[in-house]
Amino acid sequence: MKFYLRLFGLNLKSQMQYKFSLFLSCLGQFITAFTSFFSIKFIFMRTDAVGEFTYGQVLLCFSVIMLSFSIGEAVGGGLANFPRMVNLGEFDRILTRPGNLILQVIIPFFDFTRIGLLAQGAIMLGLAIPRCGVAWRADKIIGLVLMIVCGAVLFFCLFMFQASFAFFTMNSLDFLNIFTYGAREFGRYPFSVYGKKILHFLTFCIPLALIQYYPLRFLIDERAHPAGMFLPCLSLLFILPCYALFRFGIRRYKSAGS
């Protein structure tokens, strides 16, 4: 563990060598993400609700997805660049080292510029909490925290899922971005507004609805059973197929060269 912490520290120092560049990157992430917020604001200037959800509730969805995505992408930045690592033969070098392969992939590529996106999500959450109409109790607060934490794990798993295909194609499959960057955009609104088929797919196949739509229903329902706060934890089952696919790819991997 000391080795990984030292590697993390070296990555931070390398990015801090150009402090102004890092600051501008964080600021760019912060400002760019506001375009999504303004699109929501403009829609609610014309209507009082989207589906059955008010402005504050949609804003809560938006902030949860933004916070989850920013954490998941910051940690999984190495997985986002994984096809390039395979093509250049960098993964071959990792295979010769003792230690956990996934940690060796993600730690050197931890993306600190996502602090800007994280800050933007935190601000949106602060705006959403007093506007969403939730009667905040201990179980509701725990449920909200679990939405963000489990959402971050889920997005990390989605990056791992996408990276696993590099073992078989040696290239990035861009259409899989719909489950990562696309989910960040479509997750601005409760997934039920896209129809039942999409909601079912995002419940049983890619369980994004388990960290957004269903927990949101729990939060706004004053009569909801306290056990509902654990709904986001069900999404953690998605770790199993994603990790299994990654390990399967490693077993089948034959050097790509450089």
Side-chain angles (χ1 to χ4, degrees):
M1 184 55 67
K2 289 183 179 179
F3 167 75
Y4 297 118
L5 290 175
R6 185 176 180 183
L7 195 60
F8 181 85
L10 290 173
N11 180 28
L12 176 60
K13 287 181 180 179
S14 67
Q15 295 190 42
M16 288 293 291
Q17 289 297 311
Y18 301 94
K19 297 180 178 63
F20 189 63
S21 176
L22 179 62
F23 170 76
L24 289 179
S25 297
C26 293
L27 183 63
Q29 293 278 348
F30 180 80
I31 295 174
T32 303
F34 267 104
T35 57
S36 298
F37 167 70
F38 288 134
S39 68
I40 295 174
K41 184 67 176 178
F42 292 149
I43 287 175
F44 277 93
M45 290 173 65
R46 298 284 184 176
T47 183
D48 294 328
V50 172
E52 59 184 297
F53 300 97
T54 65
Y55 172 65
Q57 292 162 0
V58 170
L59 203 59
L60 185 62
C61 271
F62 170 78
S63 60
V64 166
I65 290 294
M66 278 294 182
L67 287 168
S68 299
F69 179 84
S70 61
I71 298 171
E73 189 186 22
V75 178
L79 294 171
N81 295 317
F82 190 70
R84 178 178 174 277
M85 295 177 63
V86 171
N87 278 325
L88 295 179
E90 294 177 7
F91 186 66
D92 295 18
R93 185 166 64 250
I94 291 176
L95 288 172
T96 64
R97 300 170 181 165
N100 186 281
L101 294 177
I102 294 179
L103 289 178
Q104 291 186 63
V105 170
I106 65 175
I107 290 179
F109 294 95
F110 192 97
D111 191 356
F112 293 96
T113 65
R114 294 307 174 191
I115 293 173
L117 192 61
L118 184 67
Q120 197 260 6
I123 292 173
M124 292 303 103
L125 182 63
L127 293 174
I129 285 176
R131 292 174 171 82
C132 61
V134 175
W136 294 102
R137 309 188 303 260
D139 58 333
K140 305 284 187 177
I141 296 172
I142 293 173
L144 177 61
V145 172
L146 288 176
M147 288 171 71
I148 297 170
V149 173
C150 295
V153 175
L154 179 58
F155 274 110
F156 176 82
C157 289
L158 288 172
F159 280 110
M160 183 190 298
F161 177 78
Q162 184 175 0
S164 300
F165 286 91
F167 290 119
F168 312 105
T169 65
M170 300 300 170
N171 289 297
S172 176
L173 298 179
D174 291 337
F175 77 91
L176 292 174
N177 287 335
I178 194 174
F179 299 122
T180 52
Y181 300 99
R184 182 188 68 180
E185 296 302 316
F186 289 111
R188 291 179 292 176
Y189 303 97
F191 289 122
S192 60
V193 305
Y194 302 112
K196 289 185 177 180
K197 290 183 179 179
I198 298 295
L199 181 60
H200 290 162
F201 177 80
L202 295 178
T203 301
F204 301 107
C205 298
I206 308 293
L208 287 162
L210 293 176
I211 57 100
Q212 190 239 48
Y213 172 70
Y214 297 108
L216 177 65
R217 296 296 301 268
F218 162 74
L219 292 180
I220 63 179
D221 186 358
E222 295 182 2
R223 297 174 296 178
H225 193 279
M229 63 180 161
F230 297 112
L231 279 171
C233 296
L234 295 176
S235 67
L236 298 180
L237 293 173
F238 193 62
I239 295 173
L240 300 177
C242 291
Y243 184 72
L245 179 62
F246 193 82
R247 294 300 305 178
F248 177 75
I250 291 174
R251 289 195 297 270
R252 292 298 184 94
Y253 174 70
K254 295 179 181 179
S255 176
S258 62

